[in-house]
Amino acid sequence: MRNLFVSILLLLASGVYGQQVNAPEAKSFVLSTSGQDASGFSLSGFNSTSTLLCAIGLPVSPSGTTFYMTTTTGLTPASGYTLSGNKTRLAFTGTMSNINAALATLKINTTATSGNVQISVSATVNPTGYFYNPSNGHFYRPISAGATYPNAKTLSSQQTFKGQQGYLVTITSSDEDGFIFTNVPQNQIWFALTDEVVEGQWRIDAGPENGTLIKTSNGQTAGNVVGQYNNWAGGEPNNSGNEDYAVTKWNGSQWNDLPANFSNPYVVEFGTWTNPDDQTFTEFYSNSVNHSNGNVLRAQFVYDFGANVNETLFRTKMFTNHQGIVQGSGDYAALNSLGKIDMTPNIDQNKINDGYKSSISAGQVEYSYVNISNGVTTLYIDLSTFGSVSPSTIKRVSILDCYDGPVTYQQTSTYWAHYIIPSTLTKVTDGSSSFNANIRNAGYNNWAFSCSIGFTQNQIFKPHFSDIKYYGSSYSGLYSSIVTVGDVYLAFKQLSDNGIFGNSNVWFTTPVQFANADVDSSGAFNEQDCFILLQHLLGQSTIWNSSNELTSMIKLIKKSDYDAITSNNWQDYRFTSGSYYLPSIVDNQLNSYNVAVTWKGDVNLSHSALPTGVSQPNSSGNKQEIGIQSMAVRTNSSTGDVIADIWMEIKDGMVEVTISVDPGQNQIGATQFIVKFDNSILDHNKTEFSNKNDINFSRKESSLINVGTLNTNGNPISNLGYKIVFKSKSDLKNILGLVSVESIETIGTDSKQLKVKVQ
Amino acid sequence: MKFIRIILLIFSLSLTSCYKENIEPLPKPVVDIFSVSEVSVSDSDQLSFNMEKEGSFILKIQDHNTGQILSKEKINLIAGNNSVKIYTKSLPVGVLYLILDDLNKNEVKRTKIIIK
């Protein structure tokens, strides 16, 4: 039995941290105050010598809110900007260190209007050959090689830049015209404007404004449409020799009409990146924080899914659950790519009564006092002041200007009702209260208040809960990426060395793994869990409840609680409450909820939040639709790598995918390939295994085939290879992209994840 | 009958005289997918490219970030313009490389494709 498993996935694959923008925690600013600290943003992961394009903005804020930075050393403002002065938006270039130095000095100027203050910061490597126009958020790429107008238009539309399709530049404002004049070195530049359909009727010929009529007759100003930008040279357009297309930078900065067959340079336009939080372009990295100006009710969630999950495929909604009635309004809203979402609009503002609040205000009689000793603050209120109010129903209390918050009822004595206050009441003891004249140090750690006592009904928000849903392609695909051969291998290793032989806790590095490995939620991690995991891997059963999939697989835990999970209390975090999270909402304040997300069966925490201080070396930040990725793949060969050769071909009307694995000098204990296929064209026919001695599995889930091999006695696997055969539903001439290998996981018998070179 | 012929002759002459000598029609540009640095592709798009010589080659798709080969097939190409269909439903969304190798695994052409 000792040989049941002798290897483990230690997840030693080197982590490749991607570029990112880090944001600070949300906070509340003071109203009408300039120069408040808004630091905490920083860039990381970028090449230290690269020039970066960075933008700071305030997409949501009370009118008049501005920001500035006190250090701008090494930064160059983007066209149209200056670095100094108060801003609502600023774009500039600089190195990562210079930008971080500037961001560390970010200050906010607030107004008297309370509300949200969202600060966004974005960065990308400043592209060579492209010019960014901050005024409209567009990029421009000048093409100096001459082309006819139709070719310039066609070639422009075939270009892409950071995921955006290009178009022949349109000029819709003097600002844009001036930007091109200043930044594009060529002259006589085609732009998308034509009167080819009706002579003299000039229409924009590409881009978002395609078809817009800007001029109705030829001549410099004749027929210029009000509200549309025209900038024709004197006497132009004149259609001399049938000229139906427009150029800018003609004899200076103005426009002329020319025939199509002229060979002119042109400019390709890409848009739009205006708000730093825009996800318009790929390879742009952004982050934001939602601060508050003044005391504003807010409910901001940050779901921590770890490194390998695409957060944007999850949506959430908040409900109330009061007296057995569950209510919620609006649609489920998507998390952003950082797992953030502001759910303030989901808060049910209709409060309910919850006991009483006692208000201790300045008066003449010492009806109340506090005792502060041994770290405990006890409040005493004279029983004669309560009238019909029961002392045990007091839930909150305000004491002069010293405290306003919850209390816990203790008892009543002959003359006093006793309450515990979760505060040391420094304003009472240090003399800083504005009501110091009403506070008397009575000795023996007692402070008495000359006061009057009032009671009002205490109102609270109804109990809320948030629910989360997955909007990806399929749950089975999601779980195939989360629970893999590595999790099963690791579970068996922990069981054999710890559970069976009673050795020290050597294989699980954090107690959270016990909670995730306890897939039957019995409160104990044992051989039954390992068996269920193996059955899941082999496709003989699933570890999720098919009628309530996400709820049975996911667990949402307050991050501070998650960090505090120990080997003694992990049983308290079994997978029973699923996709629900219970936030405590307090009025007039920024309620921030940091939620750790973890998954049943994710033993190696590849797709779960990592407890603070626990490292997860296999993250790469490469997020795909269902969050899976190859965890040990190399582009270039390195001595000692496993070599995988993947081949796809059409054979006798079938599509065959052949995977052969050469372990080299390695000893492989387990391996798994996830092969994705287009199930609208292909049907899985069969899987053949080269290996005949170990546990082979081939599990079809919608458009995925999970294929792999597992050795259960610690010996290396030999003769590894798979042939996956598909039957085509139609006649195929080629199969490029029809089948792809989405993930590979290979573990050595020496307990380490192996690097794989795919060729 | 003669009158009709005259009318037709005059009509055809008038048509000829009205013909406008337009600019020479411009050939539609042939876009070689390997001639652009990156291009967006959708499912079932036909990818065109020119080859200097015919032969057997390997067409493969590589992940931009990890370098992992995702899809690979052998393909016979002709000298001149070639067209290959790409299927994207099984490919990850994002930036990928389309690479053409010869049978000796020497890279011949490469471009970025963007799957949306």
Side-chain angles (χ1 to χ4, degrees):
Chain A
M1 200 60 183
R2 172 176 283 277
N3 290 331
L4 179 62
F5 263 83
V6 292
S7 298
I8 184 178
L9 176 65
L10 280 182
L11 306 171
L12 296 179
S14 59
V16 182
Y17 247 28
Q19 298 98 323
Q20 62 184 30
V21 178
N22 309 298
E25 292 292 319
K27 62 194 283 188
S28 294
F29 292 122
V30 179
L31 298 173
S32 304
T33 305
S34 298
Q36 298 184 71
D37 179 34
S39 63
F41 281 100
S42 65
L43 312 185
S44 59
F46 291 93
N47 188 314
S48 61
T49 59
S50 294
T51 298
L52 308 179
L53 173 64
C54 181
I56 306 171
L58 301 175
V60 178
S61 65
S63 178
T65 307
T66 55
F67 69 85
Y68 64 95
M69 297 183 293
T70 57
T71 296
T72 55
T73 305
L75 305 184
T76 303
S79 178
Y81 282 104
T82 59
L83 294 171
S84 60
N86 297 327
K87 313 286 182 190
T88 56
R89 178 173 158 75
L90 176 62
F92 52 86
T93 58
T95 63
M96 183 169 66
S97 61
N98 286 334
I99 292 171
N100 282 341
L103 290 172
T105 67
L106 187 64
K107 309 288 184 190
I108 282 283
N109 306 314
T110 60
T111 67
T113 306
S114 61
N116 297 335
V117 179
Q118 184 183 26
I119 307 175
S120 294
V121 174
S122 290
T124 188
V125 175
N126 196 38
T128 303
Y130 293 79
F131 296 86
Y132 176 60
N133 181 4
S135 68
N136 64 2
H138 292 200
F139 284 88
Y140 300 82
R141 183 188 181 196
I143 307 293
S144 57
T148 63
Y149 180 89
N151 281 3
K153 186 180 171 188
T154 301
L155 292 169
S156 296
S157 68
Q158 289 166 344
Q159 291 202 28
T160 57
F161 169 65
K162 293 183 185 287
Q164 282 292 296
Q165 186 174 8
Y167 53 90
L168 183 62
V169 64
T170 61
I171 301 176
T172 58
S173 70
S174 61
D175 179 90
E176 191 171 22
D177 210 0
F179 179 85
I180 292 168
F181 179 79
T182 303
N183 292 288
V184 177
Q186 290 81 19
N187 292 309
Q188 199 170 308
I189 301 162
W190 286 128
F191 69 103
L193 186 66
T194 180
D195 71 341
E196 63 186 356
V197 177
V198 179
E199 182 58 44
Q201 293 203 358
W202 290 88
R203 293 181 184 273
I204 294 174
D205 196 24
E209 305 89 2
N210 190 23
T212 303
L213 180 68
I214 69 163
K215 188 174 179 66
T216 57
S217 61
N218 288 334
Q220 186 180 22
T221 58
N224 287 0
V225 175
V226 176
Q228 299 295 332
Y229 177 68
N230 283 271
N231 184 29
W232 297 95
E236 304 295 346
N238 59 7
N239 196 36
S240 175
N242 193 23
E243 299 172 323
D244 289 344
Y245 307 95
V247 293
T248 187
K249 293 190 76 172
W250 171 265
N251 283 346
S253 62
Q254 293 184 296
W255 302 352
N256 185 25
D257 57 340
L258 290 177
N261 60 344
F262 272 45
S263 182
N264 290 331
Y266 59 99
V267 175
V268 189
E269 186 173 0
F270 307 88
T272 297
W273 186 57
T274 307
N275 179 342
D277 247 7
D278 286 346
Q279 300 293 316
T280 311
F281 292 102
T282 57
E283 299 171 39
F284 275 68
Y285 304 93
S286 64
N287 207 334
S288 63
V289 61
N290 289 305
H291 296 308
S292 299
N293 190 29
N295 295 323
V296 179
L297 173 63
R298 293 269 302 283
Q300 180 170 292
F301 288 73
V302 181
Y303 290 92
D304 178 2
F305 281 85
N308 297 322
V309 173
N310 184 348
E311 292 89 344
T312 62
L313 294 178
F314 292 84
R315 300 181 190 179
T316 187
K317 179 178 175 178
M318 204 143 63
F319 297 84
T320 58
N321 183 2
H322 179 54
Q323 296 179 337
I325 300 172
V326 175
Q327 290 181 312
S329 61
D331 296 327
Y332 278 76
L335 309 183
N336 73 7
S337 60
L338 301 167
K340 290 183 179 179
I341 187 165
D342 190 330
M343 300 192 70
T344 309
N346 269 176
I347 296 175
D348 185 343
Q349 302 280 352
N350 299 310
K351 295 180 180 177
I352 55 175
N353 292 330
D354 182 44
Y356 285 84
K357 178 181 179 181
S358 173
S359 300
I360 301 172
S361 52
Q364 304 299 316
V365 182
E366 290 183 344
Y367 283 125
S368 177
Y369 72 99
V370 292
N371 176 273
I372 306 173
S373 57
N374 299 322
V376 178
T377 302
T378 307
L379 172 70
Y380 299 85
I381 300 176
D382 193 315
L383 285 175
S384 67
T385 62
F386 279 85
S388 61
V389 175
S390 169
S392 63
T393 60
I394 305 301
K395 297 292 181 69
R396 292 181 66 88
V397 65
S398 64
I399 307 172
L400 305 173
D401 61 350
C402 303
Y403 181 73
D404 189 345
V407 292
T408 303
Y409 170 74
Q410 292 294 105
Q411 60 178 324
T412 55
S413 55
T414 305
Y415 301 108
W416 304 96
H418 304 210
Y419 303 90
I420 299 297
I421 295 179
S423 168
T424 55
L425 300 183
T426 52
K427 273 190 159 183
V428 170
T429 57
D430 67 6
S432 63
S433 170
S434 303
F435 298 92
N436 212 28
N438 295 79
I439 301 172
R440 179 175 67 88
N441 187 340
Y444 304 100
N445 301 318
N446 296 318
W447 281 266
F449 308 120
S450 296
C451 60
S452 59
I453 310 286
F455 298 94
T456 54
Q457 281 205 311
N458 184 46
Q459 291 205 309
I460 61 170
F461 290 104
K462 295 174 187 172
H464 283 66
F465 70 92
S466 65
D467 181 41
I468 197 164
K469 285 187 174 178
Y470 177 63
Y471 281 75
S473 53
S474 73
Y475 283 110
S476 61
L478 174 70
Y479 303 142
S480 287
S481 70
I482 293 172
V483 183
T484 64
V485 70
D487 299 287
V488 181
Y489 208 70
L490 184 53
F492 270 97
K493 183 62 181 174
Q494 174 67 29
L495 178 73
S496 60
D497 269 6
N498 183 263
I500 294 174
F501 297 108
N503 297 333
S504 59
N505 183 14
V506 291
W507 300 112
F508 286 1
T509 54
T510 169
V512 171
Q513 292 172 277
F514 284 102
N516 288 7
D518 178 23
V519 291
D520 63 0
S521 298
S522 66
F525 168 65
N526 52 31
E527 59 272 23
Q528 180 66 19
D529 298 300
C530 290
F531 179 73
I532 293 170
L533 283 166
L534 186 59
Q535 294 290 94
H536 163 80
L537 189 69
L538 300 179
Q540 295 170 358
S541 65
T542 62
I543 62 172
W544 63 86
N545 182 335
S546 59
S547 64
N548 204 356
E549 290 166 310
L550 192 63
T551 297
S552 69
M553 281 294 288
I554 201 170
K555 180 82 179 171
L556 309 177
I557 303 171
K558 185 178 180 182
K559 185 66 167 65
S560 57
D561 291 344
Y562 191 70
D563 288 344
I565 291 177
T566 68
S567 56
N568 295 322
N569 72 356
W570 67 260
Q571 294 90 344
D572 296 339
Y573 298 92
R574 296 180 223 176
F575 286 82
T576 52
S577 62
S579 58
Y580 306 117
Y581 184 79
L582 305 175
S584 174
I585 301 171
V586 180
D587 207 355
N588 294 323
Q589 78 173 47
L590 173 60
N591 296 280
S592 293
Y593 309 103
N594 292 312
V595 183
V597 183
T598 192
W599 299 89
K600 182 194 286 186
D602 185 17
V603 182
N604 60 21
L605 302 185
S606 60
H607 293 72
S608 297
L610 295 175
T612 301
V614 175
S615 59
Q616 172 59 284
N618 75 335
S619 62
S620 76
N622 174 31
K623 297 171 182 179
Q624 299 179 356
E625 188 201 2
I626 54 175
I628 66 175
Q629 59 185 305
S630 298
M631 291 190 280
V633 176
R634 278 193 203 277
T635 307
N636 300 311
S637 180
S638 176
T639 303
D641 283 355
V642 173
I643 305 296
D645 193 85
I646 295 163
W647 197 255
M648 300 161 188
E649 60 185 326
I650 304 171
K651 206 168 184 180
D652 301 328
M654 309 290 272
V655 174
E656 292 187 359
V657 178
T658 306
I659 302 172
S660 57
V661 181
D662 176 4
Q665 301 302 311
N666 300 288
Q667 294 189 323
I668 297 175
T671 191
Q672 179 177 3
F673 292 77
I674 297 181
V675 177
K676 191 172 184 182
F677 66 100
D678 185 342
N679 58 5
S680 67
I681 296 176
L682 299 178
D683 280 329
H684 178 230
N685 180 261
K686 62 180 178 178
T687 300
E688 298 173 359
F689 303 93
S690 302
N691 180 290
K692 305 296 181 187
N693 301 320
D694 302 293
I695 298 174
N696 293 296
F697 58 91
S698 176
R699 190 173 80 244
K700 175 180 174 292
E701 290 164 356
S702 184
S703 60
L704 297 175
I705 303 290
N706 278 275
V707 62
T709 304
L710 190 67
N711 182 276
T712 56
N713 60 14
N715 294 324
I717 302 170
S718 59
N719 198 24
L720 265 177
Y722 313 94
K723 182 186 284 184
I724 307 168
V725 182
F726 299 92
K727 186 177 182 181
S728 173
K729 298 176 183 175
S730 59
D731 187 32
L732 297 173
K733 290 187 170 54
N734 70 283
I735 54 175
L736 182 65
L738 205 51
V739 182
S740 72
V741 175
E742 197 163 68
S743 175
I744 305 170
E745 192 169 6
T746 303
I747 304 160
T749 56
D750 60 353
S751 306
K752 295 178 180 174
Q753 187 170 16
L754 297 170
K755 295 285 187 184
V756 181
K757 184 203 173 196
V758 184
Q759 60 179 23
Chain B
M1 193 63 182
K2 187 176 182 182
F3 176 73
I4 292 173
R5 284 179 180 168
I6 291 170
I7 293 297
L8 284 172
L9 180 62
I10 292 171
F11 181 66
S12 59
L13 283 173
S14 67
L15 279 177
T16 304
S17 62
C18 289
Y19 176 72
K20 184 181 178 183
E21 193 173 352
N22 282 325
I23 300 164
E24 195 69 19
L26 296 160
K28 186 179 180 182
V30 174
V31 179
D32 184 330
I33 192 163
F34 290 110
S35 71
V36 293
S37 59
E38 60 179 57
V39 65
S40 290
V41 298
S42 303
D43 190 47
S44 300
D45 276 358
Q46 290 286 347
L47 309 181
S48 296
F49 54 96
N50 283 301
M51 294 297 294
E52 290 73 31
K53 60 179 182 180
E54 67 174 25
S56 295
F57 294 85
I58 299 167
L59 201 52
K60 60 187 184 183
I61 296 172
Q62 184 185 51
D63 186 279
H64 174 253
N65 292 318
T66 66
Q68 179 189 356
I69 300 300
L70 304 174
S71 185
K72 183 171 69 175
E73 70 169 318
K74 184 179 173 183
I75 189 165
N76 295 319
L77 300 175
I78 61 170
N81 189 47
N82 291 269
S83 182
V84 172
K85 183 182 280 192
I86 185 168
Y87 301 90
T88 62
K89 287 181 181 173
S90 80
L91 297 174
V93 172
V95 181
L96 306 173
Y97 284 118
L98 179 68
I99 302 170
L100 187 69
D101 286 352
D102 64 21
L103 294 183
N104 295 319
K105 299 182 179 177
N106 299 311
E107 185 172 310
V108 179
K109 294 171 184 286
R110 164 190 291 252
T111 190
K112 278 184 187 175
I113 57 174
I114 297 169
I115 313 291
K116 292 186 176 178

